[in-house]
C-alpha cells in the first residue's frame, strides 16, 4: 500500500485553460487517499537522460466521493485531482505542464501534503480568503469544498489580479456566488479594471480588506495565499485591523 510520501503515476484525463497562462490538469490517480482543501502535492518530472525536476502545486479541486450535486462547477470527480498551473516563462516545470502535457500523458506525484493551511467542514467560524494571482488555487479548493458540503459558514473572498483577463475561475465564481448562499467575492485589480469599476487599479490595501473582509470581532478564520510580498502585506493589514494572528494562516509561493 502506498503512503503519502510514495510516488504515484497519475494520468492526465483532461485539461482546460483557466486564463491565457493558467491551465488546469485533471489527473486520474490510482488509490488516491483523498485530500483536504488547501493541501498541495509534489510533482516530479524525469527527462530521458534521467534529470529530474520537482515542484509543489496546490490542489484546486475538492475531494468528493460522489458526483457533484451543486452543478456549480468543478469540484473534482472521484479518483481525480485537479491542479491549476500558472505558466512562468522562465520556469523549469510550469511551461511543460501548461504547454506540452496532453490528455493521456503520465506524471509522477505524491501527497497530499500539509495540515495547517487547510479548511475543514467542521470549522464553524466565518472565513476570509485573500488571494494574490495564482494564490487563488488552494482557496478555490476551499470554496468548492464548502459548495459540495452545502456549508453555511459565511465565506468572503478578496481576489487580487492584474486585469479581469487574469482572473482564474471567474465564471465559476460568479455562478457560485449565485448558487452557494453566504459566499461573497470581491476583486482588486492592480493594473486594469473593467469599465465602470468603482475604484481605480491599485494594490490590495487597508480599505479593500476593511471594506470587503470580516470585522475582527467576528473572529474569522483568515487564509492568505500569493507571492511573498503580497502575503506579508495582507497579513500585516489583518493584524493592524485587529485580527487575531493565531487565526491568520498564510501560504507563499515562488517561481516554478
Amino acid at each position: 500500500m502506498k503512503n503519502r510520501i510514495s510516488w504515484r503515476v497519475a494520468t492526465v484525463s483532461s485539461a482546460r485553460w483557466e486564463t491565457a497562462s493558467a491551465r488546469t490538469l485533471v489527473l486520474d490517480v490510482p488509490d488516491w487517499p483523498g485530500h483536504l482543501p488547501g493541501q498541495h502535492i509534489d510533482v516530479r518530472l524525469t527527462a530521458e537522460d534521467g534529470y529530474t525536476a520537482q515542484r509543489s502545486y496546490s490542489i484546486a479541486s475538492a475531494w468528493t466521493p460522489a458526483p457533484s450535486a451543486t452543478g456549480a462547477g468543478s469540484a473534482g470527480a472521484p479518483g481525480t485531482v485537479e491542479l491549476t498551473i500558472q505558466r512562468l516563462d522562465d520556469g523549469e516545470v510550469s511551461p511543460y505542464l501548461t504547454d506540452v502535457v496532453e490528455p493521456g500523458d503520465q506524471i509522477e506525484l505524491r501527497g497530499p501534503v500539509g495540515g495547517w493551511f487547510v479548511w475543514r467542514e467542521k470549522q464553524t467560524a466565518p472565513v476570509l480568503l485573500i488571494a494574490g494571482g495564482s494564490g487563488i488555487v488552494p482557496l478555490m479548493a476551499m470554496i468548492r469544498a464548502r459548495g459540495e458540503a452545502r456549508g453555511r459558514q459565511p465565506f468572503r473572498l478578496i481576489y487580487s489580479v492584474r486585469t479581469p483577463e487574469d482572473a482564474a475561475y471567474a465564471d465559476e465564481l460568479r455562478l457560485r456566488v449565485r448558487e452557494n448562499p453566504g459566499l461573497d467575492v470581491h476583486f482588486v485589480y492592480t493594473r486594469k479594471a473593467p469599465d465602470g469599476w468603482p475604484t481605480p487599479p491599485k494594490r490590495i490595501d487597508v480599505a479593500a480588506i476593511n471594506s470587503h473582509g470580516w470585522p475582527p470581532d467576528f473572529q474569522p478564520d483568515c487564509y492568505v495565499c500569493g507571492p511573498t510580498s503580497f502575503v506579508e502585506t495582507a497579513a500585516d493589514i489583518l493584524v493592524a485591523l485587529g485580527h487575531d494572528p493565531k487565526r491568520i494562516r498564510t501560504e507563499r509561493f515562488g517561481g516554478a
Side-chain angles (χ1 to χ4, degrees):
M1 178 180 293
K2 291 182 179 294
N3 56 40
R4 299 186 180 202
I5 62 173
S6 301
W7 290 100
R8 305 167 189 268
V9 177
T11 301
V12 179
S13 62
S14 63
R16 62 179 183 273
W17 289 97
E18 304 290 355
T19 70
S21 59
R23 189 185 191 210
T24 290
L25 301 179
V26 182
L27 306 172
D28 288 325
V29 189
D31 301 322
W32 184 246
H35 57 265
L36 294 170
Q39 289 187 303
H40 63 274
I41 64 173
D42 297 329
V43 172
R44 182 171 68 182
L45 304 179
T46 303
E48 292 182 357
D49 63 0
Y51 173 75
T52 63
Q54 180 179 320
R55 296 291 186 275
S56 297
Y57 291 100
S58 294
I59 300 171
S61 53
W63 177 253
T64 173
S68 171
T70 65
S74 174
T80 67
V81 175
E82 294 189 6
L83 303 179
T84 300
I85 296 100
Q86 177 69 44
R87 182 182 61 227
L88 301 177
D89 292 337
D90 59 349
E92 186 178 26
V93 174
S94 63
Y96 178 80
L97 296 177
T98 55
D99 300 343
V100 178
V101 166
E102 295 294 343
D105 290 345
Q106 293 184 320
I107 61 176
E108 290 182 291
L109 60 81
R110 66 181 179 186
V113 180
W116 166 248
F117 194 83
V118 298
W119 178 76
R120 294 177 170 83
E121 294 177 24
K122 66 181 181 181
Q123 293 176 226
T124 58
V127 172
L128 174 59
L129 309 173
I130 303 178
S134 56
I136 184 64
V137 176
L139 308 186
M140 194 66 195
M142 297 178 190
I143 291 172
R144 287 169 167 166
R146 175 185 178 274
E148 287 302 295
R150 299 183 182 277
R152 296 299 178 185
Q153 303 91 333
F155 265 43
R156 288 184 174 178
L157 167 66
I158 301 175
Y159 184 9
S160 175
V161 290
R162 295 178 178 177
T163 73
E165 292 76 23
D166 293 316
Y169 320 121
D171 290 342
E172 183 181 341
L173 285 170
R174 280 190 284 270
L175 186 60
R176 287 192 177 274
V177 167
R178 292 199 299 270
E179 296 190 352
N180 297 165
L183 170 65
D184 294 315
V185 177
H186 176 74
F187 289 93
V188 174
Y189 299 102
T190 62
R191 293 190 181 179
K192 185 185 76 174
D195 293 339
W197 194 250
T199 57
K202 63 177 182 178
R203 295 186 181 277
I204 197 164
D205 58 11
V206 174
I209 295 178
N210 194 37
S211 299
H212 302 286
W214 295 108
D217 293 347
F218 285 26
Q219 298 186 312
D221 293 326
C222 303
Y223 297 84
V224 185
C225 186
T228 296
S229 60
F230 174 90
V231 169
E232 291 178 350
T233 297
D236 287 346
I237 291 173
L238 287 169
V239 172
L241 288 173
H243 288 269
D244 183 351
K246 296 178 181 177
R247 305 185 78 96
I248 302 171
R249 307 183 192 201
T250 61
E251 184 99 316
R252 299 168 172 80
F253 61 77

